């Protein structure tokens, strides 16, 4: 991304009227040669981890080596997350749109010579059709992309997020220009109401209704009013808000400016998790560039409207994403939920009317204003309009960022888009909403993924993490994992959460050792209900969801633990026994050598045996055996 | 009008504007158990023993009565199955968290909870970290001799940095307000030398 290198393609000039944006956009597009080759290297988190920076360097070196014509000189562009994280590093070649996965530095020269200079594909690096094995050339041909509806993500992976002219060329700020040119603030609110947009931060509260209540609060209490972005994203498994802020910071900023215009706010805050330094840097650059262009600050687009925003780094706690804890944190106090029954639209930041929305919610606003609330409402299903971005993780082939219309059946996301569980078996369950969400079994695979259908099934949308589980994942273990996470994250203010999370986890710990009875399952359920009803904030209030839904849908698996002392998934250490299949064992002795307690014995070239009493159940032997002779009984 | 009318357990009650549901209930002699509430300090809504159920037709929700503002026409129930379930589990967890507190055992017994399924971590523990002592010291006495340290499941109270402090003037407010009897025992770990001398002088 642009660092010390040259100025943006277009020298900044201040936009003095809403109409100037369109003029600028046309100029940017005209100045660009659509046939100029471009090498686009994904720099999303997945690809960064799999070595994208080295790949980008290798392309620069390869270009220098080939001594390509200076006039034709292709650019090497780095973008935010292109979505197919498990297949990174990803590289696309324009103008053809060739899509390459798992690109290594050594591939750079071949790609430059074949694709960039001769326009030909390098088929060995292309995504293969899962059925026929045929190479698929472009995003449009790959089911992972073609079955999605990428609206919020439309610019991510295409634009250089550090260059505002790239974003403007792709339509950024057009919604803002339109609203400032021809709509009153009241009309903006009405458009958001019409869209049916519901908050993407977890609870699904209708955004238009929230803005309307803020207007009533302003009527009573006057201004200032604040607009705030919730970018705390602490859910394990969730990275969509980070990807949006990193890959297209302007979409969030434009949404926030529109919200400020609608409500008459002059100051906004972006509360971003401190663990997201790239998101923070890109937002800072986006804000600085927007100010230069007259899109932020005084006299926005020459209309006299004035608004500015600043970034607050999150204090690094999951609970700081809760609205009242987030406000106390911005106010400079420890981020604990406030024990009060007042709505934050009335009494939010510094006791003032405040609209807090999630990153993805804000990023939807420019779409609503640009193309109209009615258009937006036609996407998705009646009570859950628009699209939703998910982080598809766990036991699926295509791990990554996925955006689909609300109401898309779960199986379409997991199997058709996600490529299903490796090995082609059906998935066991899907956990949505992370530690506050629920776990739905394969038998509910046709459940439409929207706010109300998930809630009806006992789960919840949550922020958008979607964890796919297969037969090797244990539901008791899942519950323990999330409860342990929340025990660390609880603020400790209220008693049900401070004491109850640990007590619930201890009961599950017992199950994982085969201790307990049906009565304990009943106790666990009623304790879980007490937490739901009694906790002060939604952290404790939603913490029981994974346990309650797994008891509902996987009761047999709980019973297997407590009654038969078996863990069917083979996960709970106390309930599994490692054994060696004498037919398969060659007596190579690798397992015996690696066992930390030396409990594997046997003569050379003869079948070995494991002493179950001494075995630690660490699984090292199973990992070392080259002949797949060790199994879990 | 400065008067609000609503019902508690189907009985009509009147509250002044600004009262909470708990204050109204107490005024009418309706018992709701509490631990972290004291009229002298800011309510913290922490112990959740005071939960009551709000109902409106099919809709129902539990709220903490010590912080829920009395409102016109609401229907409050103090002894529903859901309320009792919350109380039962809180008492069971309290009995294990502060097994040495006679006050907690008595209150729990009054609500029919005499045993707990949970193992006690420390049989001598009396404090349940309600924070009343810290709030009274800060808000009423105007000092900060008691701190709530650590977060989450590790939360504790004591002198700042867990060292006896001369900030304490040994007024005894914390001992008086403590609903579990824990401060009687913790007191010596809070008050520093000056305070000890002061108490001795006073004796
Ligand atoms: C423990 C906890 C953590 C939360 N974390 C987040 C978060 O990281 N991001 C977010 O947008 N909302 C989070 N929320 C939800 C917020 O409280 C709030 O509902 C949301 O930001 C409102 O925005 P929306 O209406 O656009 O969804 C969290 C809630 C709780 C209880
Ligand atoms: S539910 Fe948990 S995180 Fe929320 S206020 Fe209570 S202790 Fe804190
Ligand atoms: S006795 Fe000490 S700690 Fe207790 S309230 Fe008084 S000053 Fe504070
Ligand atoms: S010592 Fe008493 S008042 Fe202080 S936190 Fe513990 S129980 Fe509450
Ligand atoms: S008395 Fe209301 S929460 Fe403790």
């Amino acid at each position: 991304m642009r660092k010390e290198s040259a100025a943006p393609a277009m020298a900044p000039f201040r936009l003095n009227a809403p109409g100037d944006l369109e003029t600028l956009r046309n100029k940017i597009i005209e100045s660009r040669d659509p046939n100029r080759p471009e090498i686009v290297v994904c720099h999303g988190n997945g690809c960064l981890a799999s070595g994208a920076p080295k790949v980008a360097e290798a392309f620069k070196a390869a270009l220098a080596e080939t001594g390509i014509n200076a006039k034709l000189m292709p650019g090497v562009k780095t973008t935010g997350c292109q979505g197919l994280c498990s297949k990174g590093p990803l590289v696309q070649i324009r103008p053809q749109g060739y899509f390459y996965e798992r690109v290594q530095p050594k591939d750079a020269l071949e790609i430059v010579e074949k694709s960039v200079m001769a326009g030909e594909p390098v088929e060995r690096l292309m995504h293969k059709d899962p059925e026929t094995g045929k190479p698929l050339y472009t995003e449009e041909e790959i089911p992972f992309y073609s079955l999605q509806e990428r609206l919020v993500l439309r610019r991510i992976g295409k634009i250089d997020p550090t260059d505002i002219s790239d974003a403007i060329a792709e339509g950024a700020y057009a919604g803002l220009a339109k609203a400032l040119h021809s709509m009153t603030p009241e009309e903006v609110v009405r458009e958001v109401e019409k869209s049916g947009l519901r908050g993407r931060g977890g609870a699904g509260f209708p955004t238009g209704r929230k803005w309307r209540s803020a207007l009533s609060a302003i009527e009573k209490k006057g201004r200032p009013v604040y607009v705030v972005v919730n970018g705390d994203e602490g859910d394990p498994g969730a990275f969509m808000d980070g990807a949006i802020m990193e890959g297209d910071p302007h979409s969030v900023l434009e949404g926030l400016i529109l919200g400020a215009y609608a409500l008459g706010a002059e100051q906004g805050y972006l509360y971003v998790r401190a663990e997201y330094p790239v998101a923070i840097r890109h937002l800072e650059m986006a804000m600085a560039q927007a100010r230069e262009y007259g899109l932020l600050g005084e006299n926005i687009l020459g209309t006299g409207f004035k608004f500015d925003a600043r970034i607050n780094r999150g204090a690094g706690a999951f609970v700081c994403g809760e609205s009242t804890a987030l406000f106390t944190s911005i106010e400079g106090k420890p981020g604990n939920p406030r024990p009060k029954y007042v709505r934050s639209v009335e009494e939010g930041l510094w006791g003032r009317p405040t609209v807090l929305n999630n990153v993805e919610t804000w990023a939807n606003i420019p779409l609503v204003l640009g193309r109209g609330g009615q258009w937006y409402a036609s996407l998705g299903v009646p009570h859950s309009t628009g699209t939703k971005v998910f982080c598809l993780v766990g036991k699926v082939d295509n791990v990554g960022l996925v955006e689909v219309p609300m109401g898309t059946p779960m199986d379409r996301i997991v199997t058709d888009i996600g490529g299903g569980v490796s090995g082609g078996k059906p998935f066991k369950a899907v956990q949505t909403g992370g530690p506050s969400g629920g776990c739905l079994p394969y038998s509910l695979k046709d459940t439409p993924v929207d706010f109300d259908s998930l809630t009806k099934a006992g789960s919840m949308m949550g922020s958008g993490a979607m964890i796919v589980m297969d037969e090797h994942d244990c539901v008791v273990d899942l519950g323990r994992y999330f409860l342990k996470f929340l025990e660390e994250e609880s603020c400790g203010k209220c008693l049900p959460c401070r004491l109850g999370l640990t007590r619930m986890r201890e009961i599950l710990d017992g199950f994982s050792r085969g201790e307990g009875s049906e009565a304990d399952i009943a106790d666990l359920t009623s304790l879980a209900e007490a937490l739901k009803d009694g906790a002060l904030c939604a952290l404790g209030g939603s913490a029981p969801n994974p346990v309650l839904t797994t008891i509902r849908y996987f009761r047999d698996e709980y019973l297997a633990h407590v009654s038969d002392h078996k863990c069917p998934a083979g996960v709970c250490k106390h309930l599994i026994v490692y054994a060696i299949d004498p037919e398969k064992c060659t007596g190579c002795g690798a397992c015996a050598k690696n066992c930390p307690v030396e409990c594997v014995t046997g003569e050379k070239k003869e079948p070995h045996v494991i002493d179950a009493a001494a075995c630690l159940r660490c699984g090292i032997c199973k990992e070392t055996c080259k002949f797949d002779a060790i199994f879990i009984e | 009008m400065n008067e609000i009318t609503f019902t508690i357990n189907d009985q009509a009650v009147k509250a002044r504007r600004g009262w909470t549901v708990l204050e109204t209930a107490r005024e009418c002699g309706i018992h709701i158990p509490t631990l972290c509430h004291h009229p002298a300090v800011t309510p913290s809504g922490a112990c959740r023993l005071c939960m009551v159920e709000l109902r409106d037709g099919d809709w129902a929700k539990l709220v903490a009565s010590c912080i829920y503002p009395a409102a016109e026409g609401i229907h409050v129930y103090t002894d529903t199955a859901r309320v009792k379930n919350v109380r039962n589990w809180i008492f069971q967890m309290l009995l294990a968290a502060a097994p040495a507190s006679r006050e907690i055992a008595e209150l729990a017994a009054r609500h029919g909870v005499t045993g707990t399924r949970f193992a006690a971590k420390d049989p001598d523990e009396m404090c349940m970290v309600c924070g009343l002592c810290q709030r009274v010291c800060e808000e009423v006495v105007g000092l900060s001799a008691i701190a709530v340290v650590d977060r989450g499941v590790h939360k504790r109270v004591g002198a700042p940095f867990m060292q006896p402090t001369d900030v304490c003037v040994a007024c005894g407010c914390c001992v008086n307000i403590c609903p579990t009897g824990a401060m009687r025992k913790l007191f010596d770990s809070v008050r520093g030398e000056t305070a000890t001398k002061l108490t001795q002088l006073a004796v």
Side-chain angles (χ1 to χ4, degrees):
Chain A
M1 294 163 207
R2 184 161 62 94
K3 286 192 201 93
E4 69 293 331
S5 67
M10 224 12 74
F13 76 72
R14 233 193 120 80
L15 302 163
N16 287 318
D20 287 0
L21 182 82
E22 187 60 22
T23 316
L24 171 66
R25 181 171 177 222
N26 290 334
K27 266 196 200 159
I28 298 170
I29 295 172
E30 268 165 39
S31 74
R32 294 179 172 183
D33 171 4
N35 293 316
R36 179 173 179 244
E38 205 167 36
I39 302 166
V40 185
V41 185
C42 177
H43 268 38
N45 271 322
C47 288
L48 284 179
S50 56
K54 288 225 168 73
V55 173
E57 285 308 310
F59 273 109
K60 282 181 197 149
L63 288 173
E65 198 172 311
T66 51
I68 202 165
N69 181 333
K71 220 178 123 212
L72 259 186
M73 187 60 176
V76 177
K77 172 149 129 184
T78 57
T79 68
C81 179
Q82 296 179 3
L84 194 46
C85 304
S86 57
K87 302 286 158 71
L90 304 177
V91 174
Q92 297 190 43
I93 303 300
R94 294 205 191 122
Q96 295 87 350
Y98 294 144
F99 185 94
Y100 298 128
E101 55 184 37
R102 298 210 170 101
V103 177
Q104 297 305 312
K106 65 176 166 45
D107 302 322
L109 193 58
E110 183 182 353
I111 294 178
V112 168
E113 285 175 350
K114 280 208 184 131
S115 304
V116 178
M117 297 172 74
E120 282 161 18
V122 180
E123 292 192 346
R124 70 178 176 87
L125 293 170
M126 286 178 158
H127 194 84
K128 306 293 180 314
D129 184 297
E131 316 252 290
T132 63
K134 258 184 51 197
L136 303 172
Y137 282 21
T138 62
E139 266 192 16
E140 292 74 38
E141 294 176 28
I142 301 172
F144 176 80
Y145 290 102
S146 64
L147 297 177
Q148 293 189 40
E149 176 98 37
R150 289 169 89 89
L151 291 174
V152 170
L153 302 178
R154 67 199 177 284
R155 287 193 294 257
I156 301 180
K158 294 207 166 56
I159 60 162
D160 174 348
T162 64
D163 179 358
I164 192 172
S165 55
D166 230 23
I168 290 175
E170 293 287 334
Y173 299 104
L176 177 67
K178 179 180 160 191
L180 290 193
H181 177 63
S182 59
M183 295 170 81
T184 61
E186 167 62 26
E187 283 167 335
V188 173
V189 176
R190 237 181 279 154
E191 216 54 35
V192 175
E193 285 177 322
K194 225 191 282 170
S195 73
L197 173 66
R198 292 172 67 173
R200 303 301 195 233
F205 193 84
T207 308
R209 204 192 305 162
K210 188 185 279 187
W211 292 20
R212 179 66 64 198
S213 332
L215 286 180
S216 325
I218 294 166
E219 232 166 72
K220 267 192 267 164
K221 302 172 76 166
R223 294 194 166 80
V225 51
Y226 299 108
V227 283
V228 183
V229 179
N230 191 341
D232 197 47
E233 192 165 62
D235 234 0
F239 50 86
M240 57 273 143
D241 291 348
I244 294 171
M245 293 185 283
E246 284 176 13
D248 187 11
H250 295 286
S251 64
V252 184
L253 198 55
E254 185 185 353
L256 189 67
I257 302 169
L258 279 162
Y261 176 67
L263 300 162
E266 293 191 351
Q267 182 66 48
Y269 295 85
L270 297 106
Y271 189 85
V272 187
R273 195 179 153 77
E275 289 87 341
Y276 281 164
V278 179
I280 292 173
R281 197 172 54 194
H282 289 185
L283 283 167
E284 271 168 355
M285 293 175 84
M287 281 161 53
Q289 293 173 18
R291 276 188 209 106
E292 283 177 15
Y293 279 77
L295 292 160
L296 185 68
E298 302 284 334
N299 197 16
I300 293 174
L301 289 175
T303 60
F305 165 51
K306 152 180 163 191
F307 170 73
D308 214 328
R310 51 169 296 180
I311 296 176
N312 281 72
R313 271 157 226 259
F318 179 62
V319 74
C320 289
E322 194 274 340
S323 47
T324 62
L326 186 146
F327 298 141
T328 36
S329 178
I330 292 183
E331 289 165 8
K333 291 173 272 188
N336 291 339
R338 286 179 193 159
K340 270 191 175 176
Y341 289 98
V342 283
R343 292 178 312 155
S344 54
V345 283
E346 283 169 27
E347 204 171 293
L349 210 44
W350 290 292
R352 302 299 314 167
T354 303
V355 165
L356 171 73
N357 277 123
N358 163 264
V359 166
E360 190 184 332
T361 313
W362 286 117
N364 268 292
I365 299 292
L367 282 167
V368 170
L369 273 303
R371 301 182 62 176
Q374 194 137 19
W375 165 81
Y376 192 91
S378 71
L379 301 164
V381 288
H383 294 288
S384 293
T385 58
T387 60
K388 176 78 191 89
V389 181
F390 291 99
C391 289
L392 194 59
V393 297
K395 304 288 177 56
V396 274
D397 198 33
N398 301 327
V399 165
L401 262 196
V402 171
E403 182 177 356
V404 289
M406 287 278 187
T408 302
M410 196 162 79
D411 194 36
R412 189 171 166 89
I413 302 175
V414 175
T415 309
D416 302 342
I417 295 174
V421 172
S422 331
K425 290 202 183 132
F427 60 87
K428 170 177 175 173
V430 173
Q431 166 81 24
T432 54
S436 349
C439 193
L440 299 185
Y442 183 74
S443 59
L444 295 181
K445 68 180 169 45
D446 297 323
T447 307
V449 178
D450 59 65
F451 288 109
D452 304 329
S453 306
L454 287 179
T455 308
K456 222 169 83 198
S459 185
M460 71 179 235
M461 178 76 81
S463 53
M466 197 178 264
I467 307 175
V468 181
M469 296 162 62
D470 71 4
E471 55 187 359
H472 302 297
D473 293 307
C474 164
V475 293
V476 173
D477 196 61
L478 176 88
R480 291 172 67 207
Y481 167 79
F482 282 133
L483 284 170
K484 261 186 233 160
F485 170 80
L486 293 174
E487 272 179 80
E488 289 308 311
E489 298 297 333
S490 162
C491 82
K493 182 155 200 141
C494 75
L495 204 141
C497 175
R498 178 164 57 81
L499 300 178
L501 295 173
T502 308
R503 294 308 187 180
M504 284 183 65
R505 201 251 307 142
E506 285 169 354
I507 298 178
L508 287 179
D509 285 351
F511 293 175
S512 78
R513 292 188 299 264
E515 294 156 13
S517 63
E518 280 198 57
D520 292 313
I521 302 179
D523 266 8
L524 180 60
T525 312
S526 94
L527 171 58
E529 296 293 349
L531 255 75
K532 269 186 100 128
D533 277 341
L536 190 158
C537 86
L539 185 146
S542 59
N545 288 347
V547 171
L548 286 172
T549 47
T550 49
I551 292 181
R552 173 162 164 197
Y553 294 116
F554 297 92
R555 197 179 174 82
D556 287 348
E557 196 169 334
Y558 279 87
L559 288 174
H561 283 76
V562 298
S563 307
D564 308 335
H565 311 295
K566 289 236 150 55
C567 173
V571 172
C572 295
K573 276 188 180 185
H574 290 268
L575 303 180
I576 57 176
V577 175
Y578 283 92
I580 297 178
D581 181 348
E583 304 280 302
K584 285 188 182 165
C585 176
T586 63
C588 73
C591 53
K593 216 178 287 159
N594 282 294
C595 173
V597 287
E598 298 178 359
C599 73
V600 190
T601 50
E603 295 296 316
K604 243 196 156 102
K605 300 211 171 139
E606 293 293 322
H608 282 43
V609 285
I610 298 173
D611 175 1
C615 172
L616 295 179
R617 300 172 182 95
C618 65
I620 290 177
C621 57
K622 190 169 187 292
E623 272 161 38
T624 34
C625 179
K626 286 202 192 88
F627 307 97
D628 203 20
I630 301 181
F631 63 99
I632 295 171
E633 261 178 9
Chain B
M1 276 308 288
N2 263 341
E3 208 160 70
I4 299 169
T5 313
F6 64 101
T7 71
I8 301 181
N9 302 334
D10 295 323
Q11 167 195 336
V13 293
K14 285 192 197 313
R16 292 243 184 87
R17 197 158 293 281
W19 280 10
T20 61
V21 167
L22 178 70
E23 283 167 312
T24 320
R26 297 234 155 128
E27 194 66 21
C28 305
I30 299 166
H31 172 74
I32 296 173
T34 62
L35 270 178
C36 73
H37 174 82
H38 193 284
V41 299
T42 328
S44 75
C47 77
R48 317 305 280 178
L49 263 181
C50 68
M51 299 305 286
V52 294
E53 189 165 329
L54 294 185
R55 281 196 196 154
D56 187 4
D58 285 345
W59 176 90
K61 179 178 144 185
L62 266 62
V63 298
S65 61
C66 70
I67 46 178
Y68 197 85
E72 194 62 41
I74 57 172
H75 301 292
V76 175
Y77 294 86
T78 62
D79 275 305
T80 66
R82 275 169 80 184
V83 168
K84 283 184 187 155
N85 186 53
V86 174
R87 262 185 222 155
N88 167 41
W89 285 108
I90 291 179
F91 276 129
Q92 286 203 43
M93 294 194 284
L94 278 173
L95 288 175
S101 165
R102 197 170 23 95
E103 286 85 344
I104 286 182
E106 277 168 8
L107 190 63
R110 185 166 168 199
H111 290 271
V113 185
T114 48
T116 171
R117 68 158 282 147
F118 305 115
K121 304 239 145 109
D122 174 0
D124 299 325
E125 186 58 80
M126 293 170 91
C127 171
M128 43 75 75
V129 208
C130 67
L132 271 177
C133 53
Q134 183 260 330
R135 279 177 282 151
V136 78
C137 187
E138 183 181 322
E139 295 174 18
V140 179
V141 187
L143 297 171
S144 285
I146 301 178
V148 178
V149 297
D150 271 354
R151 259 184 86 233
V153 297
H154 310 290
K155 210 162 171 165
R156 289 172 299 150
V157 300
F161 313 109
M162 289 296 157
Q163 288 297 320
T165 167
D166 344 343
V167 172
C168 172
V169 297
C171 65
C173 286
C174 54
V175 176
N176 275 325
I177 205 170
C178 174
T180 68
M183 201 27 95
R184 282 196 300 271
K185 216 171 67 184
L186 280 171
F187 197 44
D188 283 339
S189 69
V190 171
R191 57 178 180 172
E193 225 179 287
T194 340
T196 320
K197 279 190 201 131
L198 269 173
T199 9
Q200 280 159 356
L201 276 179
V203 169

